[in-house]
Amino acid sequence: MGVNLKDTSAVDVLNTTDISLPSPLTKTGKNGDEHFHVEEHKLNSKVPNHNKIITSLVAGAVAGAVAKTVIAPLDRTKINFQVSNRRFSFKSAFKFIFHTVKHEGFIFLWRGNSATMLRIVPYAAIQYTAHEQYKRMLNRNRRKKHLPPHLRFLAGSLAGITSTSLTYPLDLVRARMAVTEKNLYSNLFQVIMKTYRQEGFRTLWRGYLPTVLGSTMYSGTSFFTYETLKKSHAEYAKGEEPKPFERWCMGAVAGFASQSLSYPLDIVRRRMQTAGCTGHVNDYTGIWVTAISTYREEGIIRGLYKGLSMNWIKGPIAVGVSFTTFDITLQWLRAQTIFHIDEE
């Protein structure tokens, strides 16, 4: 018996055809039961792909901005130790923060955050959107709600490569503003122009390769861990939506894992990015040269993993806040009827 499209809404059509949403415990094939968060997928079923792109761009931008603003002072502190040969400790990190507040003012703990916002808003928007689209492209079985583990990691890695490649010069600008005195660079445009005039156009892309490699590992691990934990939660909670704190905990675990695996490449990229303003322009000329130089001067723990303990604090906080903000914002947007399938 056919469906009368004139008398039936598009949502009703979806609920009466082959792509109807199974219950959390419905058999989905030879692999057995597939568990997922029911409300999330009901909302997603109402939104066409072009509106999914729009909503994920907005939600990603909000998530990135909120997360980075929360941990901006810790981020600036970490970068200052990453690009120097000073030994890191929580005591020295506190001294840096105290010195900054005393001599430059409290607001300067967020110095470079405007550059961070200029980068992180498009970066996070692109990353989250790309991740969702890569998941869609890699999912050949449309009835499946979850990718297999290796494709979960691949989707996250591709999202990281895409977002990094499209926003990289802004990352370099942000790093330079974080490690220089306020009288050297007064705004983003001045950083770009001075770097271009004094060091050349190629310098704006200095550190790109270790950044992409690090992003591949970081984003792949982060999205893989979060998606895997969400899948496990759906199974445990019988399809009920996770609470905000549960989302934050899953994101925090993802942040801890991804930060730990990709951290040495973060050290290398920061040193390459800031070589021109820290007196190491002839020392940090490539990934291996920078890594070996850092290792010889400071060792593995004090060099290539310098500041990791701080990242174990700020990383889980930031990633947890980012994933939580994204999920909540995305669901709120997709609950708005303006983004739903046209009922006509």
Side-chain angles (χ1 to χ4, degrees):
M1 184 174 179
V3 177
N4 188 343
L5 293 177
K6 293 182 179 180
D7 299 326
T8 310
S9 71
V11 175
D12 291 330
V13 172
L14 285 174
N15 291 330
T16 59
T17 58
D18 290 340
I19 58 173
S20 61
L21 288 168
S23 69
L25 299 177
T26 298
K27 294 286 185 180
T28 58
K30 64 181 181 179
N31 291 328
D33 296 337
E34 185 186 34
H35 301 269
F36 58 89
H37 294 118
V38 178
E39 189 61 33
E40 177 182 323
H41 287 284
K42 280 185 178 179
L43 286 175
N44 289 341
S45 72
K46 298 178 182 180
V47 181
N49 192 54
H50 65 276
N51 281 341
K52 285 181 179 177
I53 292 173
I54 294 172
T55 52
S56 56
L57 281 170
V58 174
V62 172
V66 171
K68 279 297 184 181
T69 300
V70 168
I71 52 90
L74 295 177
D75 223 12
R76 187 184 178 202
T77 303
K78 180 203 70 173
I79 292 175
N80 272 272
F81 282 95
Q82 282 185 324
V83 302
S84 71
N85 57 10
R86 289 178 296 164
R87 183 177 178 179
F88 175 83
S89 67
F90 283 109
K91 183 178 180 180
S92 56
F94 177 78
K95 284 183 177 180
F96 171 80
I97 293 173
F98 179 78
H99 182 272
T100 301
V101 172
K102 182 178 180 180
H103 295 280
E104 299 181 76
F106 179 76
I107 195 65
F108 279 93
L109 288 174
W110 277 264
R111 175 170 167 76
N113 198 49
S114 57
T116 299
M117 289 299 101
L118 186 61
R119 169 188 170 266
I120 200 62
V121 167
Y123 176 89
I126 293 168
Q127 184 185 46
Y128 278 111
T129 305
H131 178 249
E132 189 169 75
Q133 292 303 306
Y134 283 130
K135 285 199 302 180
R136 182 172 178 270
M137 291 166 56
L138 292 170
N139 187 10
R140 295 183 179 181
N141 184 354
R142 297 302 183 190
R143 295 184 64 84
K144 285 284 189 181
K145 305 303 179 185
H146 300 287
L147 292 172
H150 68 287
L151 292 183
R152 256 178 259 156
F153 184 87
L154 179 60
S157 296
L158 291 173
I161 292 171
T162 302
S163 53
T164 296
S165 298
L166 292 176
T167 61
Y168 182 73
L170 295 174
D171 187 43
L172 182 140
V173 169
R174 171 244 184 170
R176 291 200 167 203
M177 287 193 72
V179 302
T180 55
E181 298 294 331
K182 60 184 179 181
N183 58 355
L184 182 61
Y185 299 125
S186 58
N187 55 59
L188 303 178
F189 181 73
Q190 193 175 60
V191 180
I192 294 172
M193 293 308 299
K194 276 192 174 183
T195 302
Y196 169 72
R197 289 171 181 169
Q198 296 174 5
E199 302 173 57
F201 176 78
R202 291 182 62 184
T203 301
L204 292 173
W205 292 89
R206 191 184 184 99
Y208 170 76
L209 186 56
T211 302
V212 167
L213 292 176
S215 182
T216 300
M217 190 180 302
Y218 178 87
S219 296
T221 303
S222 184
F223 279 109
F224 166 80
T225 305
Y226 187 68
E227 293 283 315
T228 301
L229 290 173
K230 278 185 70 176
K231 182 175 182 292
S232 298
H233 179 277
E235 180 176 356
Y236 173 79
K238 301 290 192 291
E240 293 185 7
E241 292 293 304
K243 296 177 175 61
F245 181 71
E246 291 175 321
R247 292 184 189 276
W248 181 84
C249 288
M250 291 186 285
V253 173
F256 182 87
S258 55
Q259 292 278 359
S260 299
L261 288 174
S262 64
Y263 195 77
L265 284 167
D266 195 37
I267 291 282
V268 170
R269 77 178 175 115
R270 289 304 183 202
R271 296 203 173 196
M272 291 180 67
Q273 287 175 338
T274 59
C277 53
T278 57
H280 292 282
V281 69
N282 296 320
D283 300 325
Y284 303 149
T285 56
I287 296 177
W288 290 113
V289 173
T290 305
I292 291 171
S293 177
T294 302
Y295 166 72
R296 287 176 175 172
E297 291 178 6
E298 302 169 67
I300 294 178
I301 302 300
R302 295 180 181 177
L304 293 173
Y305 284 92
K306 177 186 287 186
L308 178 59
S309 54
M310 176 171 283
N311 254 33
W312 281 341
I313 297 174
K314 82 174 193 65
I317 293 173
V319 178
V321 168
S322 182
F323 274 123
T324 302
T325 304
F326 175 77
D327 280 354
I328 292 174
T329 305
L330 188 70
Q331 289 198 32
W332 181 83
L333 288 170
R334 290 184 179 176
Q336 309 307 307
T337 55
I338 191 173
F339 294 114
H340 293 179
I341 296 172
D342 187 354
E343 294 187 356
E344 297 181 3

Tab-separated table of all heavy atoms in Angstrom, residues 242-288:
chain	number	residue	atom	x	y	z
A	242	PRO	N	22.880	10.750	27.395
A	242	PRO	CA	23.780	11.015	28.521
A	242	PRO	C	23.543	12.398	29.104
A	242	PRO	O	23.188	13.328	28.372
A	242	PRO	CB	25.174	10.914	27.895
A	242	PRO	CG	24.968	11.170	26.443
A	242	PRO	CD	23.597	10.658	26.114
A	243	LYS	N	23.731	12.532	30.390
A	243	LYS	CA	23.615	13.827	31.043
A	243	LYS	C	24.843	14.670	30.689
A	243	LYS	O	25.882	14.141	30.307
A	243	LYS	CB	23.508	13.645	32.558
A	243	LYS	CG	22.249	12.894	32.991
A	243	LYS	CD	22.240	12.692	34.489
A	243	LYS	CE	20.921	12.041	34.946
A	243	LYS	NZ	20.714	10.708	34.326
A	244	PRO	N	24.750	16.009	30.825
A	244	PRO	CA	25.894	16.868	30.488
A	244	PRO	C	27.184	16.461	31.189
A	244	PRO	O	28.257	16.469	30.567
A	244	PRO	CB	25.429	18.259	30.938
A	244	PRO	CG	23.957	18.210	30.784
A	244	PRO	CD	23.553	16.812	31.169
A	245	PHE	N	27.104	16.103	32.477
A	245	PHE	CA	28.322	15.713	33.187
A	245	PHE	C	28.893	14.414	32.616
A	245	PHE	O	30.118	14.251	32.542
A	245	PHE	CB	28.046	15.549	34.684
A	245	PHE	CG	29.267	15.158	35.479
A	245	PHE	CD1	30.297	16.069	35.680
A	245	PHE	CD2	29.408	13.879	36.005
A	245	PHE	CE1	31.442	15.717	36.397
A	245	PHE	CE2	30.535	13.516	36.721
A	245	PHE	CZ	31.557	14.438	36.918
A	246	GLU	N	28.020	13.497	32.203
A	246	GLU	CA	28.492	12.255	31.592
A	246	GLU	C	29.178	12.546	30.265
A	246	GLU	O	30.204	11.942	29.939
A	246	GLU	CB	27.314	11.295	31.390
A	246	GLU	CG	26.749	10.745	32.686
A	246	GLU	CD	25.512	9.907	32.475
A	246	GLU	OE1	24.670	10.281	31.621
A	246	GLU	OE2	25.372	8.868	33.167
A	247	ARG	N	28.624	13.475	29.489
A	247	ARG	CA	29.268	13.870	28.229
A	247	ARG	C	30.646	14.468	28.513
A	247	ARG	O	31.620	14.185	27.812
A	247	ARG	CB	28.403	14.891	27.483
A	247	ARG	CG	27.095	14.341	26.952
A	247	ARG	CD	26.362	15.419	26.143
A	247	ARG	NE	25.013	15.015	25.794
A	247	ARG	CZ	24.677	14.263	24.756
A	247	ARG	NH1	25.635	13.826	23.940
A	247	ARG	NH2	23.421	13.968	24.507
A	248	TRP	N	30.710	15.322	29.545
A	248	TRP	CA	31.987	15.948	29.883
A	248	TRP	C	33.014	14.890	30.292
A	248	TRP	O	34.183	14.971	29.887
A	248	TRP	CB	31.812	16.957	31.012
A	248	TRP	CG	33.106	17.631	31.357
A	248	TRP	CD1	33.651	18.716	30.747
A	248	TRP	CD2	34.055	17.210	32.357
A	248	TRP	NE1	34.881	19.019	31.305
A	248	TRP	CE2	35.149	18.107	32.293
A	248	TRP	CE3	34.070	16.178	33.287
A	248	TRP	CZ2	36.252	17.996	33.130
A	248	TRP	CZ3	35.173	16.060	34.123
A	248	TRP	CH2	36.243	16.961	34.052
A	249	CYS	N	32.605	13.914	31.072
A	249	CYS	CA	33.531	12.847	31.495
A	249	CYS	C	34.048	12.059	30.304
A	249	CYS	O	35.244	11.748	30.219
A	249	CYS	CB	32.834	11.910	32.484
A	249	CYS	SG	32.546	12.634	34.117
A	250	MET	N	33.164	11.733	29.362
A	250	MET	CA	33.596	11.014	28.166
A	250	MET	C	34.561	11.865	27.345
A	250	MET	O	35.577	11.371	26.837
A	250	MET	CB	32.387	10.604	27.326
A	250	MET	CG	31.518	9.534	27.967
A	250	MET	SD	30.178	8.924	26.908
A	250	MET	CE	29.013	10.300	26.982
A	251	GLY	N	34.269	13.163	27.239
A	251	GLY	CA	35.165	14.061	26.530
A	251	GLY	C	36.500	14.221	27.238
A	251	GLY	O	37.546	14.318	26.594
A	252	ALA	N	36.464	14.250	28.566
A	252	ALA	CA	37.698	14.388	29.342
A	252	ALA	C	38.620	13.189	29.128
A	252	ALA	O	39.836	13.340	28.979
A	252	ALA	CB	37.371	14.543	30.830
A	253	VAL	N	38.039	11.986	29.103
A	253	VAL	CA	38.838	10.785	28.831
A	253	VAL	C	39.445	10.866	27.426
A	253	VAL	O	40.621	10.546	27.211
A	253	VAL	CB	37.977	9.513	28.973
A	253	VAL	CG1	38.761	8.274	28.517
A	253	VAL	CG2	37.533	9.337	30.419
A	254	ALA	N	38.637	11.312	26.465
A	254	ALA	CA	39.134	11.469	25.090
A	254	ALA	C	40.270	12.479	25.035
A	254	ALA	O	41.272	12.285	24.339
A	254	ALA	CB	37.988	11.901	24.179
A	255	GLY	N	40.126	13.578	25.793
A	255	GLY	CA	41.172	14.600	25.819
A	255	GLY	C	42.456	14.096	26.444
A	255	GLY	O	43.552	14.383	25.960
A	256	PHE	N	42.335	13.339	27.521
A	256	PHE	CA	43.518	12.781	28.189
A	256	PHE	C	44.277	11.848	27.255
A	256	PHE	O	45.503	11.926	27.129
A	256	PHE	CB	43.086	12.027	29.447
A	256	PHE	CG	44.226	11.449	30.235
A	256	PHE	CD1	44.883	12.202	31.189
A	256	PHE	CD2	44.659	10.148	30.005
A	256	PHE	CE1	45.948	11.674	31.913
A	256	PHE	CE2	45.718	9.608	30.724
A	256	PHE	CZ	46.372	10.380	31.677
A	257	ALA	N	43.560	10.969	26.576
A	257	ALA	CA	44.201	9.998	25.680
A	257	ALA	C	44.859	10.681	24.494
A	257	ALA	O	46.020	10.389	24.146
A	257	ALA	CB	43.168	8.983	25.190
A	258	SER	N	44.157	11.612	23.863
A	258	SER	CA	44.689	12.262	22.666
A	258	SER	C	45.873	13.172	22.982
A	258	SER	O	46.854	13.221	22.227
A	258	SER	CB	43.586	13.048	21.960
A	258	SER	OG	42.976	13.976	22.839
A	259	GLN	N	45.812	13.892	24.110
A	259	GLN	CA	46.920	14.764	24.502
A	259	GLN	C	48.180	13.944	24.771
A	259	GLN	O	49.284	14.320	24.381
A	259	GLN	CB	46.553	15.556	25.766
A	259	GLN	CG	45.469	16.591	25.569
A	259	GLN	CD	45.987	17.891	24.986
A	259	GLN	OE1	47.171	18.045	24.731
A	259	GLN	NE2	45.101	18.836	24.755
A	260	SER	N	48.014	12.820	25.450
A	260	SER	CA	49.171	11.997	25.820
A	260	SER	C	49.886	11.443	24.591
A	260	SER	O	51.120	11.389	24.543
A	260	SER	CB	48.720	10.845	26.730
A	260	SER	OG	48.141	11.351	27.920
A	261	LEU	N	49.128	11.022	23.589
A	261	LEU	CA	49.719	10.393	22.411
A	261	LEU	C	50.384	11.391	21.468
A	261	LEU	O	51.395	11.084	20.840
A	261	LEU	CB	48.647	9.600	21.655
A	261	LEU	CG	48.168	8.309	22.320
A	261	LEU	CD1	47.000	7.719	21.539
A	261	LEU	CD2	49.309	7.283	22.395
A	262	SER	N	49.818	12.576	21.352
A	262	SER	CA	50.300	13.520	20.335
A	262	SER	C	51.213	14.616	20.880
A	262	SER	O	51.690	15.453	20.115
A	262	SER	CB	49.090	14.181	19.655
A	262	SER	OG	48.346	14.960	20.587
A	263	TYR	N	51.503	14.606	22.171
A	263	TYR	CA	52.170	15.752	22.800
A	263	TYR	C	53.559	16.086	22.243
A	263	TYR	O	53.855	17.263	22.024
A	263	TYR	CB	52.254	15.559	24.312
A	263	TYR	CG	52.597	16.847	25.022
A	263	TYR	CD1	51.626	17.824	25.202
A	263	TYR	CD2	53.878	17.104	25.490
A	263	TYR	CE1	51.922	19.019	25.833
A	263	TYR	CE2	54.177	18.294	26.127
A	263	TYR	CZ	53.195	19.250	26.292
A	263	TYR	OH	53.495	20.437	26.906
A	264	PRO	N	54.459	15.113	22.005
A	264	PRO	CA	55.779	15.475	21.486
A	264	PRO	C	55.719	16.269	20.183
A	264	PRO	O	56.520	17.193	19.965
A	264	PRO	CB	56.459	14.123	21.276
A	264	PRO	CG	55.813	13.233	22.288
A	264	PRO	CD	54.380	13.673	22.311
A	265	LEU	N	54.756	15.948	19.313
A	265	LEU	CA	54.609	16.705	18.077
A	265	LEU	C	54.107	18.118	18.351
A	265	LEU	O	54.392	19.044	17.588
A	265	LEU	CB	53.653	15.976	17.126
A	265	LEU	CG	54.250	14.746	16.425
A	265	LEU	CD1	53.148	13.924	15.760
A	265	LEU	CD2	55.289	15.169	15.391
A	266	ASP	N	53.392	18.306	19.440
A	266	ASP	CA	52.945	19.636	19.833
A	266	ASP	C	54.135	20.489	20.248
A	266	ASP	O	54.218	21.677	19.909
A	266	ASP	CB	51.941	19.521	20.982
A	266	ASP	CG	51.160	20.809	21.200
A	266	ASP	OD1	50.831	21.469	20.201
A	266	ASP	OD2	50.872	21.149	22.363
A	267	ILE	N	55.083	19.886	20.969
A	267	ILE	CA	56.314	20.587	21.342
A	267	ILE	C	57.083	21.008	20.096
A	267	ILE	O	57.527	22.157	19.958
A	267	ILE	CB	57.220	19.678	22.211
A	267	ILE	CG1	56.584	19.441	23.596
A	267	ILE	CG2	58.627	20.262	22.344
A	267	ILE	CD1	56.734	20.589	24.558
A	268	VAL	N	57.239	20.075	19.166
A	268	VAL	CA	58.008	20.335	17.942
A	268	VAL	C	57.377	21.457	17.130
A	268	VAL	O	58.057	22.383	16.676
A	268	VAL	CB	58.116	19.053	17.097
A	268	VAL	CG1	58.686	19.365	15.715
A	268	VAL	CG2	58.996	18.029	17.795
A	269	ARG	N	56.069	21.413	16.941
A	269	ARG	CA	55.418	22.434	16.112
A	269	ARG	C	55.503	23.804	16.755
A	269	ARG	O	55.722	24.809	16.069
A	269	ARG	CB	53.968	22.058	15.835
A	269	ARG	CG	52.988	22.296	16.970
A	269	ARG	CD	51.568	21.922	16.548
A	269	ARG	NE	50.641	22.042	17.658
A	269	ARG	CZ	49.640	22.921	17.703
A	269	ARG	NH1	49.466	23.769	16.722
A	269	ARG	NH2	48.815	22.944	18.739
A	270	ARG	N	55.372	23.887	18.092
A	270	ARG	CA	55.450	25.184	18.757
A	270	ARG	C	56.847	25.785	18.618
A	270	ARG	O	56.997	26.990	18.400
A	270	ARG	CB	55.096	25.037	20.233
A	270	ARG	CG	53.633	24.762	20.515
A	270	ARG	CD	52.746	25.819	19.930
A	270	ARG	NE	51.344	25.597	20.269
A	270	ARG	CZ	50.332	26.084	19.593
A	270	ARG	NH1	50.559	26.804	18.506
A	270	ARG	NH2	49.087	25.843	19.958
A	271	ARG	N	57.857	24.954	18.729
A	271	ARG	CA	59.226	25.474	18.614
A	271	ARG	C	59.532	25.919	17.190
A	271	ARG	O	60.225	26.915	16.984
A	271	ARG	CB	60.215	24.417	19.094
A	271	ARG	CG	60.038	24.108	20.579
A	271	ARG	CD	61.263	23.534	21.236
A	271	ARG	NE	61.050	23.435	22.672
A	271	ARG	CZ	62.026	23.271	23.559
A	271	ARG	NH1	63.282	23.176	23.166
A	271	ARG	NH2	61.741	23.203	24.847
A	272	MET	N	59.008	25.192	16.215
A	272	MET	CA	59.200	25.601	14.830
A	272	MET	C	58.430	26.880	14.521
A	272	MET	O	58.921	27.774	13.815
A	272	MET	CB	58.771	24.479	13.884
A	272	MET	CG	59.685	23.258	13.918
A	272	MET	SD	59.158	21.952	12.780
A	272	MET	CE	59.452	22.753	11.189
A	273	GLN	N	57.235	27.000	15.050
A	273	GLN	CA	56.407	28.183	14.799
A	273	GLN	C	57.016	29.458	15.374
A	273	GLN	O	56.909	30.531	14.778
A	273	GLN	CB	55.012	27.985	15.401
A	273	GLN	CG	54.131	27.016	14.646
A	273	GLN	CD	52.807	26.771	15.359
A	273	GLN	OE1	52.692	26.974	16.568
A	273	GLN	NE2	51.805	26.355	14.616
A	274	THR	N	57.650	29.349	16.527
A	274	THR	CA	58.161	30.532	17.232
A	274	THR	C	59.670	30.693	17.107
A	274	THR	O	60.259	31.529	17.787
A	274	THR	CB	57.783	30.458	18.723
A	274	THR	OG1	58.341	29.259	19.295
A	274	THR	CG2	56.281	30.438	18.906
A	275	ALA	N	60.293	29.919	16.232
A	275	ALA	CA	61.762	29.962	16.101
A	275	ALA	C	62.261	31.358	15.759
A	275	ALA	O	63.303	31.802	16.254
A	275	ALA	CB	62.216	28.962	15.039
A	276	GLY	N	61.515	32.078	14.925
A	276	GLY	CA	61.947	33.401	14.495
A	276	GLY	C	61.940	34.442	15.591
A	276	GLY	O	62.655	35.442	15.494
A	277	CYS	N	61.160	34.246	16.645
A	277	CYS	CA	61.103	35.247	17.714
A	277	CYS	C	61.674	34.717	19.022
A	277	CYS	O	61.537	35.359	20.064
A	277	CYS	CB	59.668	35.749	17.916
A	277	CYS	SG	58.433	34.480	18.159
A	278	THR	N	62.314	33.539	18.983
A	278	THR	CA	62.974	33.003	20.180
A	278	THR	C	64.466	32.750	19.943
A	278	THR	O	65.133	32.160	20.784
A	278	THR	CB	62.309	31.687	20.630
A	278	THR	OG1	62.344	30.740	19.559
A	278	THR	CG2	60.877	31.928	21.067
A	279	GLY	N	64.975	33.174	18.777
A	279	GLY	CA	66.399	33.052	18.492
A	279	GLY	C	66.851	31.675	18.028
A	279	GLY	O	68.034	31.350	18.128
A	280	HIS	N	65.931	30.868	17.501
A	280	HIS	CA	66.285	29.513	17.066
A	280	HIS	C	65.935	29.262	15.605
A	280	HIS	O	65.679	28.135	15.210
A	280	HIS	CB	65.563	28.478	17.939
A	280	HIS	CG	66.036	28.449	19.356
A	280	HIS	ND1	67.210	27.838	19.748
A	280	HIS	CD2	65.487	28.980	20.480
A	280	HIS	CE1	67.363	27.977	21.060
A	280	HIS	NE2	66.340	28.668	21.522
A	281	VAL	N	65.933	30.328	14.815
A	281	VAL	CA	65.507	30.187	13.430
A	281	VAL	C	66.392	29.229	12.644
A	281	VAL	O	65.942	28.568	11.697
A	281	VAL	CB	65.457	31.580	12.738
A	281	VAL	CG1	66.866	32.153	12.562
A	281	VAL	CG2	64.717	31.488	11.411
A	282	ASN	N	67.675	29.130	13.023
A	282	ASN	CA	68.587	28.212	12.336
A	282	ASN	C	68.687	26.851	13.011
A	282	ASN	O	69.343	25.941	12.485
A	282	ASN	CB	69.993	28.839	12.247
A	282	ASN	CG	70.016	30.105	11.402
A	282	ASN	OD1	69.367	30.163	10.367
A	282	ASN	ND2	70.758	31.115	11.855
A	283	ASP	N	68.062	26.718	14.155
A	283	ASP	CA	68.122	25.454	14.899
A	283	ASP	C	66.913	24.561	14.610
A	283	ASP	O	67.053	23.355	14.451
A	283	ASP	CB	68.183	25.732	16.410
A	283	ASP	CG	69.409	26.548	16.791
A	283	ASP	OD1	70.466	26.350	16.163
A	283	ASP	OD2	69.293	27.387	17.704
A	284	TYR	N	65.728	25.186	14.541
A	284	TYR	CA	64.500	24.415	14.362
A	284	TYR	C	64.032	24.518	12.911
A	284	TYR	O	63.121	25.261	12.574
A	284	TYR	CB	63.412	24.930	15.313
A	284	TYR	CG	63.804	24.896	16.775
A	284	TYR	CD1	63.305	25.839	17.676
A	284	TYR	CD2	64.664	23.919	17.266
A	284	TYR	CE1	63.642	25.807	19.022
A	284	TYR	CE2	65.020	23.872	18.608
A	284	TYR	CZ	64.507	24.820	19.480
A	284	TYR	OH	64.857	24.785	20.805
A	285	THR	N	64.677	23.760	12.053
A	285	THR	CA	64.423	23.850	10.620
A	285	THR	C	63.576	22.708	10.079
A	285	THR	O	63.173	22.736	8.925
A	285	THR	CB	65.745	23.887	9.853
A	285	THR	OG1	66.526	22.728	10.195
A	285	THR	CG2	66.537	25.149	10.193
A	286	GLY	N	63.327	21.677	10.871
A	286	GLY	CA	62.529	20.545	10.426
A	286	GLY	C	62.083	19.729	11.615
A	286	GLY	O	62.503	19.961	12.748
A	287	ILE	N	61.213	18.765	11.361
A	287	ILE	CA	60.652	17.971	12.454
A	287	ILE	C	61.734	17.232	13.217
A	287	ILE	O	61.848	17.351	14.444
A	287	ILE	CB	59.620	16.958	11.915
A	287	ILE	CG1	58.432	17.686	11.309
A	287	ILE	CG2	59.122	16.053	13.041
A	287	ILE	CD1	57.402	16.763	10.691
A	288	TRP	N	62.553	16.454	12.486
A	288	TRP	CA	63.558	15.637	13.155
A	288	TRP	C	64.646	16.487	13.779
A	288	TRP	O	65.124	16.192	14.882
A	288	TRP	CB	64.167	14.633	12.176
A	288	TRP	CG	63.211	13.551	11.786
A	288	TRP	CD1	62.657	13.335	10.561
A	288	TRP	CD2	62.654	12.553	12.656
A	288	TRP	NE1	61.803	12.272	10.597
A	288	TRP	CE2	61.773	11.765	11.863
A	288	TRP	CE3	62.812	12.237	14.007
A	288	TRP	CZ2	61.070	10.688	12.390
A	288	TRP	CZ3	62.092	11.171	14.527
A	288	TRP	CH2	61.235	10.403	13.733
